[in-house]
Structures are given as C-alpha cells and as structure tokens.
Amino acid sequence: MALTFDDGPHPQATPELLRLLDSTGTRATFFLLGEMAEQHPSITQAIAAAGHEIAVHGYEHRLLLTRRPAETLVDLTRATAVISELTGMTPRWWRPPYGIASTAAVRAARRLGLTPVLWSCWGRDWTRRATPDSVFRTVRRGLTGGATVLLHDSDHCAAPHSWEATIGALPAILTTCRARGLDIGPLSEHGLVHL
C-alpha cells in the first residue's frame, strides 16, 4: 500500500507527521507545493533527509482547468525546480490539485519527466468535520493490496487544523494495514511504472 500526503510542507503538521512516521518505521510519498516548500525550506529538507519520497503537487494549489497551457507549464516547471533544489532529489511523480488534470497539464508533467498519480482511497481529512475516527473509517474501507492512500499534511488549502485529524487517524491506519499483512511505503516501492 502506498501512503501519500498532499499540500505540504506545513510548519506544525509536517514535523509532527515526520516524528510519527519515524517512530513507526514508515516511509511515504509527499506531494509538495512549491510555494510551501519555499516558505518552509528546512521542513522540505527534513522530509527528504528522513528518507521519504518527494513528489510534485504544483507550485500553487489551483484548479488546472482554469489555467492556460503556458501557465500550467510555468507552474509545474517552477514547482519541480524549487523542490529539486531544496531536496537534492529529482521528483518522479505528480498529482494535480483536486485530482483534476487538463490535457495540457498532463503534457507539461510528461515534458518535465513527471508521471501523473491519483489515489484509490482518501480520508476526507481536509474538511471542517474531519475527526481522527472519521478519517480512519473512511480510509479503512479502501485499505487493500495495491491501494494508494491520500492524506494531507497541511491545512493550506483545507479547514484550519484539519491536519490534526490526519495525525490522530494515522496510528490506527498503520495498525490496520499491518494487521491485514499490507506493506506500507512510498510510491516507488508500490510497483508503479515511472514513464
């Protein structure tokens, strides 16, 4: 099972999440926003230093269907450059904001060597109503071999402090995966093919 996080890094959520993942020996894929990486370079570097996989979510968290092709290419190019420079890693994966990509966005991602990735289950952890239990129950239904789980390590584009529900739910999610015999890791260990 691939464990992924979107919208970070976040000054409170991401360090707390990194501590939790480290304490359980779990590695994940972080889909970073370039603007957040620039605002929090030390946290961005800490994600990479902890052995997590780095991926691109965009520079800004904007619906790509509202952008012209040239704007999309600039956004993804800028995000990839910032993230690569801060982490020393070349991202392989890209997840479009809101999970919606235009043809131009897919072409831009491919031009930058990024493979588009979505998810098979999510925790609906960005909402005001999210609780650790609601996030766990929502994710639990999709915890099967081959799943890609989407959670958030930021409230940058979500309800304030919604990330607290994610942090609260994660121990139960990890315990359930292990009880079901599922290996948990980043996308690169998930068997996805990078195009």
Side-chain angles (χ1 to χ4, degrees):
M1 185 203 79
L3 182 61
T4 68
F5 296 93
D6 282 9
D7 298 352
H10 183 276
Q12 294 170 289
T14 307
E16 192 168 332
L17 178 61
L18 290 175
R19 284 189 291 275
L20 176 57
L21 292 172
D22 185 58
S23 73
T24 61
T26 304
R27 297 293 170 259
T29 301
F30 285 78
F31 285 87
L32 303 178
L33 289 171
E35 69 177 335
M36 297 300 287
E38 279 186 329
Q39 290 174 28
H40 308 290
S42 63
I43 300 170
T44 302
Q45 293 162 346
I47 296 168
H52 298 287
E53 187 170 46
I54 303 297
V56 174
H57 198 34
Y59 187 81
E60 297 176 326
H61 197 283
R62 289 189 43 204
L63 184 62
L64 296 175
L65 297 178
T66 64
R67 289 190 153 172
R68 286 180 267 153
E71 293 173 322
T72 298
L73 179 59
V74 167
D75 180 89
L76 289 178
T77 300
R78 187 175 180 193
T80 303
V82 165
I83 291 165
S84 296
E85 182 179 325
L86 288 171
T87 65
M89 303 169 107
T90 302
R92 298 170 47 184
W93 315 109
W94 166 66
R95 178 177 287 150
Y98 306 104
I100 300 171
S102 63
T103 301
V106 172
R107 285 185 182 141
R110 295 288 170 104
R111 183 173 167 183
L112 296 168
L114 299 169
T115 299
V117 175
L118 293 177
W119 59 87
S120 53
C121 66
W122 60 9
R124 298 190 57 81
D125 57 346
W126 65 90
T127 68
R128 187 171 287 113
R129 294 182 179 166
T131 66
D133 187 55
S134 73
V135 172
F136 170 66
R137 283 185 286 109
T138 303
V139 169
R140 181 180 59 195
R141 290 190 289 265
L143 294 180
T144 60
T148 297
V149 176
L150 164 61
L151 296 169
H152 294 80
D153 68 323
S154 173
D155 59 6
H156 176 67
C157 304
H161 297 279
S162 56
W163 57 267
E164 292 173 349
T166 304
I167 300 287
L170 194 56
I173 292 169
L174 297 176
T175 298
T176 300
C177 287
R178 291 187 174 112
R180 292 180 181 181
L182 299 173
D183 291 327
I184 307 158
L187 285 165
S188 61
E189 297 174 5
H190 191 48
L192 291 180
V193 177
H194 174 63
L195 302 176

